[in-house]
Amino acid sequence: MSKNTVSDRFRKVDVDEYDENKFVDEEDGGESQGGPDDAEVDALLRQYPLGGMSAALHAVLKNPPINTKNHTAKERAELLVVKVLSSFKSSDIEKAVGSLDHAGVDLLMKYIYRGFENPNDNSSAVLLQWHEKALAVGGVGSIVRVLTARKTV
């Protein structure tokens, strides 16, 4: 037979602390992420005939404002990425996407979908070209990772 206890110590244990599916909003270093450096990217864009376009793409993807909640930094980074993507020739897009690693392709896809949310001028046509090439390199998994990611650009 069980023993009747009057102890209620077991009720003070937080069992949710041990749940692996518990969501924790991580705020680590978001204030230091101001986005890509405008001056560096503009300087690389001006070096177009010398092959600065691929370097401009890598520079614009180098410091994404993912962990920050500063919407102006995210908008500024999005406009800069769309500017870089728009300045590429159609024939150079595939080579530029091929030079990115998997994390870079996923980040590029995040910016492409962010650009689809706020279209301007001729950006949708350019973003569709980039989406086609990024899909060829990253596959459907890249799209799934972007659409299910909690942290956005």
Side-chain angles (χ1 to χ4, degrees):
M1 200 146 109
S2 69
K3 193 181 210 181
N4 188 2
T5 62
V6 289
S7 174
D8 62 350
R9 273 189 342 185
F10 68 94
R11 295 180 189 215
K12 295 181 176 133
V13 175
D14 184 15
V15 293
D16 289 331
E17 178 182 331
Y18 303 106
D19 186 14
E20 28 184 78
N21 294 326
K22 182 181 174 187
F23 173 71
V24 177
D25 192 14
E26 299 172 359
E27 277 298 317
D28 48 349
E31 290 76 27
S32 65
Q33 290 183 330
D37 185 16
D38 294 340
E40 177 187 3
V41 172
D42 285 336
L44 290 170
L45 283 177
R46 279 189 243 112
Q47 298 176 3
Y48 173 65
L50 303 175
M53 296 301 289
S54 182
L57 179 64
H58 286 279
V60 82
L61 296 177
K62 187 169 46 178
N63 186 16
I66 291 179
N67 291 330
T68 185
K69 294 189 182 202
N70 185 357
H71 293 291
T72 57
K74 290 186 176 200
E75 289 173 6
R76 186 176 54 81
E78 175 203 351
L79 291 175
L80 190 60
V81 169
V82 170
K83 177 181 173 183
V84 169
L85 297 182
S86 299
S87 59
F88 269 84
K89 290 183 180 176
S90 298
S91 59
D92 296 338
I93 294 175
E94 190 170 0
K95 186 174 74 169
V97 173
S99 70
L100 297 173
D101 59 343
H102 286 294
V105 173
D106 288 350
L107 183 59
L108 177 63
M109 277 291 209
K110 283 184 181 186
Y111 278 117
I112 289 171
Y113 279 104
R114 173 80 186 223
F116 284 148
E117 291 175 9
N118 306 318
N120 56 15
D121 296 340
N122 194 21
S123 67
S124 295
V126 172
L127 291 174
L128 280 172
Q129 289 178 341
W130 279 90
H131 186 274
E132 176 187 3
K133 304 302 181 187
L135 177 62
V137 172
V140 178
S142 178
I143 296 174
V144 172
R145 285 188 294 273
V146 168
L147 294 179
T148 59
R150 289 184 177 157
K151 296 181 179 180
T152 60
V153 289

